[in-house]
Amino acid sequence: VPRALAPVEAGDGAVYTALLPQEEQVDVLERLDFVLRNISELRKEVEELRSTLQHLAAEIVGEVRSHLEETQKVTRRRRFPFPRERSDSTGSSSIYFTASSGAANTDDGESEGGYSTANAESDYDRESERESEEGEDEVSCETVRTVRRDSLDLVNEDETHFMLDSSLEEGLGQLLQQADRLHSGDEREKREGFQLLLNNKLAYADQKDFLWRLARAHSDMSEITEDTDEKRSYASDGKEEMEIALQKWDQSAECHQWYAVLCGQLAEHESIQKRIQTGYVFKEHIDKAIELKPEDPKSYYLLGRWCYQVSHLGWLEKKTASALFEAPPTATVQDALQNFLRV
């Protein structure tokens, strides 16, 4: 604390007096301590920001490098991992089941990620094959409709409607059981289940239980696929399926649940702003799913993951959320634990 200087002529007996009273000295010390604490906190925030920016720069460099490597590839990848196989009626209990029976693909042109590529094929051959497969689908569906129509001409209209509904319901039940079984299997079975649902989309596209399982299959494909663009594509397609379903079945817990999951998967490839915005959408639909079906443990598991990730948001994410939204997302590890215990 500064003291007043005594005059030179006062000699050794001079008395030094403080410039500030005791109360003001304490106040100055408290202010200095407050400034030092703020400087220390600011230094920590700067260090966090620096490390975050370095990590972000590394991610950008990695993404640019992977994009350049991807554009230099000459071979094209097929969208679907399994070629469509036409099976006899003995291979399935429903006329709509046209997925492969799970036989291993032994083509020499098997590429990374399980996608078939024929090295000797030209682009024209691949396009011709794709068009022929689409034509086969249309002919197959038209043949099924023609056979059913011809066979139903022998009965009256009421009996026809009853037989048609019974056949569709029986086929749908068997299809859903098989899809659930394949979803619980390994990577190969998940791919087979995805193809199975795609092949039956024309027949059951207006069924709620079919659509959310199709969205779940898109989610499975997004998880097991290694290519970033394909991950984004599968998640985007599944999200679009659920957007259509929610317009018709807003009171379906499964539709809200898998819409939230696909939003989260799609946000993994977006910017920080988009991820934070998706976090609000994810929480909204999970809360709705819990409200509609409170006994489903998967919804509490997803909510627990959301709470855990929000509790570990970095400094940059928190500042971005505060700048973009009036009420940033808040959750603690304890919140996550409570939801996991419910599961």
Side-chain angles (χ1 to χ4, degrees):
V1 178
R3 295 177 178 272
L5 298 177
V8 178
E9 56 269 20
D12 295 336
V15 178
Y16 294 86
T17 59
L19 293 177
L20 298 175
Q22 183 70 23
E23 295 80 9
E24 295 183 4
Q25 292 178 21
V26 173
D27 182 68
V28 170
L29 289 175
E30 290 178 351
R31 290 174 180 269
L32 289 174
D33 183 65
F34 176 76
V35 171
L36 291 176
R37 286 200 306 269
N38 285 343
I39 292 175
S40 178
E41 293 176 358
L42 181 60
R43 183 181 292 112
K44 291 180 180 179
E45 290 184 356
V46 171
E47 290 297 329
E48 291 178 358
L49 179 59
R50 181 180 300 158
S51 62
T52 303
L53 291 177
Q54 291 175 351
H55 180 67
L56 183 61
E59 288 183 351
I60 293 174
V61 172
E63 290 179 359
V64 172
R65 183 180 293 111
S66 62
H67 178 71
L68 292 176
E69 293 174 354
E70 193 68 20
T71 54
Q72 292 174 357
K73 291 181 179 179
V74 180
T75 59
R76 294 184 178 179
R77 295 183 179 181
R78 295 280 305 271
R79 172 63 187 271
F80 300 118
F82 290 113
R84 296 189 178 183
E85 297 178 0
R86 304 301 174 187
S87 58
D88 298 333
S89 58
T90 57
S92 174
S93 57
S94 172
I95 59 175
Y96 295 101
F97 290 10
T98 57
S100 63
S101 59
N105 188 358
T106 58
D107 292 340
D108 294 335
E110 189 74 6
S111 63
E112 294 182 359
Y115 290 86
S116 300
T117 57
N119 295 329
E121 284 186 320
S122 65
D123 293 344
Y124 174 80
D125 293 335
R126 284 192 290 269
E127 293 295 330
S128 301
E129 181 184 356
R130 187 179 299 109
E131 292 176 1
S132 63
E133 288 180 359
E134 294 174 356
E136 289 178 3
D137 289 344
E138 295 176 359
V139 172
S140 176
C141 295
E142 185 61 30
T143 303
V144 170
R145 289 194 293 267
T146 302
V147 172
R148 296 178 69 102
R149 186 165 55 246
D150 293 343
S151 62
L152 294 175
D153 286 341
L154 302 176
V155 295
N156 58 40
E157 183 178 355
D158 294 337
E159 292 177 348
T160 300
H161 183 71
F162 175 76
M163 292 174 60
L164 184 61
D165 289 344
S166 300
S167 177
L168 286 175
E169 290 178 2
E170 180 182 359
L172 178 61
Q174 296 171 354
L175 173 64
L176 298 184
Q177 290 179 3
Q178 188 174 357
D180 291 340
R181 179 180 61 81
L182 294 173
H183 166 71
S184 303
D186 55 16
E187 179 177 325
R188 181 189 62 81
E189 292 176 320
K190 290 181 185 294
R191 293 180 184 275
E192 184 178 347
F194 174 70
Q195 189 65 54
L196 172 68
L197 293 172
L198 277 185
N199 291 343
N200 290 273
K201 183 179 178 181
L202 180 62
Y204 301 111
D206 58 342
Q207 299 294 323
K208 175 190 65 177
D209 292 334
F210 175 85
L211 279 181
W212 71 256
R213 282 175 170 84
L214 179 59
R216 182 182 66 183
H218 278 89
S219 176
D220 290 340
M221 293 299 297
S222 181
E223 286 185 357
I224 64 180
T225 302
E226 297 181 359
D227 184 76
T228 303
D229 292 336
E230 291 178 353
K231 282 180 176 291
R232 185 186 295 109
S233 178
Y234 282 122
S236 177
D237 292 345
K239 180 184 174 184
E240 291 178 0
E241 295 285 355
M242 282 295 90
E243 287 176 349
I244 297 174
L246 285 173
Q247 293 177 1
K248 190 174 182 180
W249 298 291
D250 184 59
Q251 297 303 309
S252 170
E254 290 81 6
C255 289
H256 285 282
Q257 185 182 93
W258 286 105
Y259 181 78
V261 171
L262 289 160
C263 285
Q265 289 178 321
L266 189 59
E268 293 177 0
H269 311 285
E270 303 291 346
S271 62
I272 294 178
Q273 177 182 351
K274 191 66 175 179
R275 290 201 301 268
I276 294 174
Q277 184 178 1
T278 303
Y280 289 94
V281 178
F282 182 95
K283 177 69 161 49
E284 176 186 353
H285 285 273
I286 290 299
D287 289 342
K288 184 67 174 179
I290 292 176
E291 177 186 348
L292 294 171
K293 195 174 182 180
E295 70 278 7
D296 189 355
K298 184 175 180 62
S299 296
Y300 292 103
Y301 168 73
L302 293 172
L303 182 58
R305 284 185 55 183
W306 182 87
C307 293
Y308 186 81
Q309 291 176 356
V310 169
S311 67
H312 285 74
L313 284 178
W315 179 86
L316 184 59
E317 287 86 355
K318 291 180 180 179
K319 292 298 182 182
T320 304
S322 301
L324 297 176
F325 305 98
E326 295 181 358
T330 56
T332 63
V333 177
Q334 188 67 24
D335 296 332
L337 176 60
Q338 293 303 318
N339 284 287
F340 291 144
L341 290 176
R342 283 191 176 187
V343 177

